[in-house]
Amino acid sequence: MSKRLKGLLTPVIAVLLGILVGTIIMLVSGYDPVSAFSALWNGVFGDIYSFGEAVRQITPYILAGLAVAFAFRVGLFNIGVEGQFIVGWLAAVWVGVAFDLPRAIHLPLAVIAAMVAGALWAFIPGFLKARFRVHEVIVTIMMNYVALHVTNYIIRNVLASKSGDKTDMIHGSASLRSEWLQSLTDYSRLHWGIVIAIICCFIMWFLLERTTRGFELRSVGFNQHAAHYAGMSVNKNIILSMVISGAFAGLAGSMEGLGTFGYAAVKGGFTGVGFDGIAVALLGGNTALGVFFSAILFGVLKVGALNMPLESGVPNELVDIIIALIVFFVAASYMIRVFLDRLSKKEVK
């Protein structure tokens, strides 16, 4: 069995095992798994509105997954995607509210502002890692909380509308919403962000696989000492990779601020998109194509789960358990590879 085939089968088997164990949990808990999965399916594909909402949910998952995956490919663990996502959301909305410009200028400016905000937020742990060897996991985790409370403060005291807990709606010239896409999906919140997310998948693939800079970034991820011996700037590439990762995360935030909601509100806790991005990247094998398909799965599960309590009486938290199980089996992929190795040896005999 080839290495590429094993790489493709491992996440598929992890998903199947997660669903299998989730089914057993449902049976033990007294729920009907057939009814539950049927309700989940209908919650996404039962009508065109739900399908549009699923695609809308997939959009930030793709970008958050790309953010985590890009850092992984360079040997970094960016746990701060959630914080970069939040500051990107606020920056996009800020530009969308503060300026009234032609659409051709306003929308790109708001999107770029989100990317710059996310990139700057990721620059700090990247710089500390490169300059002082401070572990990026610790710094990014702490900066998630800083992002949450700083953005809440800015919304309350600088940008809040009369309600006091959210900003005004962004101007239409900065919106990603599309009447055409909404009309196709029975007026769901589907917007043009999905196109941007797909383009970003291609950009990540091209950058890492087809450019000299991408080769350097991957080399640093494989072996920093060898990369340094070859004349590559390890510190520069560490910072650059975190900045690009943060830009993807900030862009994910702009999808919510400019597309789904059109405003930024005070948050009582994390959105979870950035943390889900870690699972998306792990399941996708940290590749652009893998992240794309993994985000589709997570988006379908998240949106479909909302229909489970209504149609089958199964709590939607069971989907979170299934997602956790999938991540567990991906993390324990060594066991799956051992099984595949033994299977391939038996086939040879």
Side-chain angles (χ1 to χ4, degrees):
M1 189 178 294
S2 66
K3 186 177 180 181
R4 176 172 291 184
L5 182 58
K6 289 179 185 176
L8 291 173
L9 286 176
T10 298
V12 173
I13 293 174
V15 171
L16 293 176
L17 288 173
I19 294 174
L20 176 62
V21 177
T23 301
I24 294 172
I25 292 174
M26 289 185 199
L27 289 171
V28 172
S29 303
Y31 296 112
D32 180 3
V34 175
S35 175
F37 287 121
S38 175
L40 190 148
W41 176 269
N42 292 334
V44 177
F45 303 103
D47 57 75
I48 194 65
Y49 174 85
S50 299
F51 179 76
E53 282 296 301
V55 176
R56 191 269 310 163
Q57 182 66 60
I58 289 165
T59 302
Y61 278 166
I62 291 175
L63 294 166
L66 291 178
V68 178
F70 195 94
F72 267 140
R73 293 290 294 275
V74 193
L76 300 170
F77 199 2
N78 184 7
I79 306 294
V81 170
E82 177 72 21
Q84 296 145 24
F85 172 87
I86 292 172
V87 297
W89 184 339
L90 178 64
V93 170
W94 198 333
V95 171
V97 170
F99 301 98
D100 191 3
L101 302 168
R103 185 179 179 83
I105 299 174
H106 202 183
L107 178 56
L109 184 63
V111 170
I112 291 171
M115 295 175 67
V116 171
L120 289 175
W121 209 255
F123 170 81
I124 298 171
F127 174 78
L128 293 175
K129 171 76 172 183
R131 183 68 178 83
F132 302 106
R133 290 298 180 263
V134 179
H135 205 293
E136 72 278 6
V137 170
I138 304 300
V139 180
T140 51
I141 287 175
M142 292 191 297
M143 291 196 68
N144 284 333
Y145 290 93
V146 176
L148 176 64
H149 295 297
V150 167
T151 54
N152 280 348
Y153 177 85
I154 292 174
I155 292 170
R156 283 196 187 99
N157 297 280
V158 180
L159 299 176
S161 60
K162 293 180 180 179
S163 63
D165 61 352
K166 68 177 184 178
T167 68
D168 292 322
M169 293 293 293
I170 61 172
H171 295 294
S173 55
S175 176
L176 282 167
R177 293 183 179 179
S178 165
E179 292 184 2
W180 179 65
L181 290 176
Q182 290 177 347
S183 65
L184 287 178
T185 55
D186 197 19
Y187 298 97
S188 71
R189 292 176 293 174
L190 180 61
H191 52 79
W192 289 116
I194 186 63
V195 178
I196 296 175
I198 293 172
I199 292 172
C200 285
C201 287
F202 174 78
I203 290 173
M204 175 175 160
W205 170 81
F206 184 82
L207 178 60
L208 287 176
E209 306 295 340
R210 292 293 184 269
T211 66
T212 303
R213 177 61 65 185
F215 174 77
E216 286 192 17
L217 291 170
R218 287 186 290 115
S219 299
V220 171
F222 284 129
N223 192 317
Q224 291 187 9
H225 299 293
H228 178 73
Y229 184 77
M232 301 175 188
S233 175
V234 173
N235 290 345
K236 180 180 178 181
N237 283 302
I238 286 175
I239 294 174
L240 179 61
S241 63
M242 285 297 291
V243 166
I244 295 174
S245 174
F248 279 131
L251 185 57
S254 73
M255 299 298 102
E256 303 294 81
L258 304 179
T260 303
F261 297 101
Y263 62 86
V266 172
K267 298 173 181 61
F270 294 123
T271 66
V273 174
F275 298 120
D276 286 339
I278 299 172
V280 170
L282 286 172
L283 182 60
N286 300 317
T287 64
L289 186 61
V291 164
F292 175 76
F293 287 111
S294 178
I296 290 175
L297 174 64
F298 276 70
V300 166
L301 289 174
K302 286 287 187 178
V303 173
L306 300 176
N307 189 49
M308 288 168 58
L310 302 175
E311 192 171 308
S312 64
V314 178
N316 56 10
E317 285 81 7
L318 274 168
V319 167
D320 293 327
I321 294 174
I322 292 174
I323 290 175
L325 288 167
I326 291 171
V327 174
F328 169 78
F329 286 116
V330 170
S333 59
Y334 174 77
M335 296 186 297
I336 298 175
R337 292 194 184 98
V338 169
F339 169 76
L340 292 175
D341 286 337
R342 291 183 177 180
L343 186 64
S344 60
K345 287 178 182 178
K346 286 181 180 180
E347 289 177 352
V348 170
K349 291 179 180 180

